[in-house]
């Protein structure tokens, strides 16, 4: 009886070991068999969406300083200047070509919604408390669909999970603009406008990106992907055009072209942006800060989506 029981235990242990070995074989065999098969280049379509964050740079420094200035001059001024949003939702499509088992090349583009704000501030005009000054600010940043080229490296790959590291270049075509409408309302009922509008030329801006991606196999030709990415892209060579309109019925009194400058000083109270500003020394009535303005599209993004093998 004792020997029969021992034989049952040994048989059960052997069966368990065989089942465990068979299980490991089923799990790892596809990966090993895939390595033994000849490499076949494949073309994939990657569709994803998510959220991104970018710095924007001097435009928001200018808008935030305006808001701080209007809070400084007292409670008689109402309203708020809103900076451009730094977080956006977006959609990306990418074609990925397998070069080898461990390397792929991707070419992508994405949709980035236009980033604009409109803010209204009203209060007494400085120096003439009987006059009401209404100020409207309309900043905007447009970024046409950027083109992104990436090289993917897969340090780990299994039937269920692939890990990718990737890097490459992103080419943006941004354009910034701002309209400022100053409406003076005098006690006698007269109205006078002093408006300013500027915009930068649309030009290419190349940036560098680096990211990591997880790819979860769902079916033979379909995967779920999740990626995180950082990008570095700054431009300090912005140029464009401006126009100034004045009068009870706004009429253009000045216009021109030039570089975009960022300037300000403690005596000026806030920082501003202007096209074609001449550089003047501080002791000659200039500003403590006078330099070329910077657009900063650097930031981070997180996306999830699907990857489909086309052939």
């Amino acid at each position: 009886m004792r020997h029969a029981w021992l034989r049952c235990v040994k048989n059960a242990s052997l069966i368990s070991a065989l089942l465990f070995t068979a299980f490991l074989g089923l799990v790892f065999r596809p990966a090993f068999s895939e390595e033994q098969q000849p490499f076949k280049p494949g073309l994939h379509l990657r569709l994803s969406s998510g959220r991104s964050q970018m710095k924007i740079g001097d435009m928001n420094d200018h808008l935030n300083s305006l808001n701080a200035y209007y809070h400084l001059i007292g409670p008689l001024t109402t309203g708020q200047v809103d900076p451009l949003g730094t977080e956006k939702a977006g959609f990306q499509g990418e074609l990925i070509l397998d070069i080898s088992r461990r390397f792929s090349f991707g070419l992508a583009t994405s949709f980035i919604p236009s980033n604009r704000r409109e803010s209204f501030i009203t209060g007494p005009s400085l120096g003439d408390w009987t006059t009401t000054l209404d100020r409207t600010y309309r900043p905007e940043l447009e970024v046409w669909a950027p083109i992104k080229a990436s090289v993917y490296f897969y340090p780990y790959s299994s039937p269920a999970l692939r890990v990718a590291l990737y890097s490459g270049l992103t080419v943006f075509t941004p354009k910034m603009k701002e309209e400022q409408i100053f409406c003076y309302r005098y006690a006698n009922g007269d109205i006078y406008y002093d408006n300013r509008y500027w915009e930068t030329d649309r030009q290419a801006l190349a940036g560098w990106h680096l990211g990591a991606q997880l790819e979860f196999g769902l079916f033979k030709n379909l995967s779920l992907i999740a990626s995180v990415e950082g990008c570095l892209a700054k431009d300090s060579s912005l140029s464009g055009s401006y126009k100034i309109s004045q009068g009870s019925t706004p009429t253009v009194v000045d216009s021109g072209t030039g570089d975009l400058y960022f300037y300000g000083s403690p005596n000026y109270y806030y920082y501003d942006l202007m096209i074609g500003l001449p550089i003047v020394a501080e002791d000659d009535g200039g500003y403590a800060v006078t330099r070329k303005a910077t657009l900063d599209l650097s930031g981070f993004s997180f996306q999830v989506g699907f990857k489909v093998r086309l052939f």
Side-chain angles (χ1 to χ4, degrees), residues 276-290:
L277 175 74
I279 299 177
V280 183
E282 174 72 9
D283 54 4
D284 292 333
Y287 302 103
V289 176
T290 304

Side-chain angles (χ1 to χ4, degrees), residues 9-300:
V9 171
K10 290 179 180 180
N11 290 337
S13 300
L14 180 59
I15 292 172
S16 299
L18 291 174
L19 290 174
F20 182 72
T21 303
F23 173 77
L24 292 179
L26 289 173
V27 171
F28 291 105
R29 182 177 177 276
F32 297 146
S33 63
E34 184 183 64
E35 292 294 331
Q36 295 170 358
Q37 294 176 0
F39 169 72
K40 293 181 180 180
L43 183 65
H44 308 264
L45 175 63
R46 180 185 187 270
L47 300 175
S48 59
S49 63
R51 298 196 65 84
S52 62
Q53 183 179 47
M54 62 179 61
K55 293 182 177 180
I56 295 180
D58 287 341
M59 173 68 92
N60 270 359
D61 291 342
H62 152 61
L63 296 171
N64 285 324
S65 71
L66 285 173
N67 202 40
Y69 167 66
Y70 290 130
H71 279 86
L72 179 67
I73 63 177
L76 295 178
T77 298
T78 59
Q80 179 173 309
V81 179
D82 295 321
L84 294 175
T86 58
E87 294 187 9
K88 288 291 180 182
F91 172 82
Q92 178 176 285
E94 182 175 17
L95 287 175
I96 300 175
L97 177 64
D98 295 331
I99 302 173
S100 68
R101 294 189 189 280
R102 290 192 176 273
F103 288 94
S104 297
F105 175 76
L107 191 63
T109 188
S110 58
F111 170 72
I112 301 177
S114 180
N115 193 351
R116 63 170 64 95
R117 287 287 189 273
E118 179 169 334
S119 302
F120 181 76
I121 299 285
T122 186
S125 174
L126 295 180
D128 183 4
W129 299 100
T130 64
T131 299
T132 299
L133 175 55
D134 298 333
R135 309 168 182 89
T136 302
Y137 296 91
R138 294 172 180 162
E140 184 175 353
L141 171 61
E142 295 178 354
V143 181
W144 282 358
I147 302 298
K148 184 170 71 172
S150 305
V151 175
Y152 289 82
F153 169 66
Y154 299 90
Y156 174 81
S157 180
S158 75
L161 174 66
R162 298 183 79 192
V163 178
L165 303 176
Y166 64 93
S167 181
L169 294 177
T170 304
V171 179
F172 301 93
T173 51
K175 181 176 184 176
M176 283 198 304
K177 61 180 74 173
E178 183 185 25
E179 183 178 17
Q180 297 183 5
I181 302 175
F182 284 18
C183 179
Y184 294 84
R185 302 181 183 276
Y186 297 100
N188 62 4
D190 290 344
I191 294 178
Y192 181 84
Y193 288 94
D194 185 6
N195 303 339
R196 187 180 73 176
Y197 173 84
W198 62 262
E199 65 178 29
T200 61
D201 300 328
R202 194 179 297 277
Q203 58 190 33
L205 167 60
W208 172 73
H209 64 266
L210 177 68
Q213 175 181 282
L214 296 179
E215 182 178 337
F216 304 92
L218 299 178
F219 302 101
K220 181 179 180 181
N221 295 320
L222 179 65
S223 301
L224 173 68
I225 57 99
S227 64
V228 60
E229 180 183 307
C231 179
L232 179 63
K234 298 178 68 173
D235 189 358
S236 298
S237 60
L238 302 169
S239 60
S241 60
Y242 74 92
K243 62 181 180 180
I244 297 174
S245 304
Q246 295 176 342
S248 56
T249 301
T251 303
V252 176
V253 297
D254 187 22
S255 62
T257 60
D259 296 329
L260 180 64
Y261 287 89
F262 177 79
Y263 68 98
S265 73
N267 294 329
Y268 197 62
Y269 298 111
Y270 62 84
Y271 296 106
D272 208 346
L273 293 166
M274 182 180 288
I275 296 286
L277 175 74
I279 299 177
V280 183
E282 174 72 9
D283 54 4
D284 292 333
Y287 302 103
V289 176
T290 304
R291 59 170 173 77
K292 295 288 188 66
T294 297
L295 171 62
D296 194 350
L297 299 182
S298 304
F300 295 90

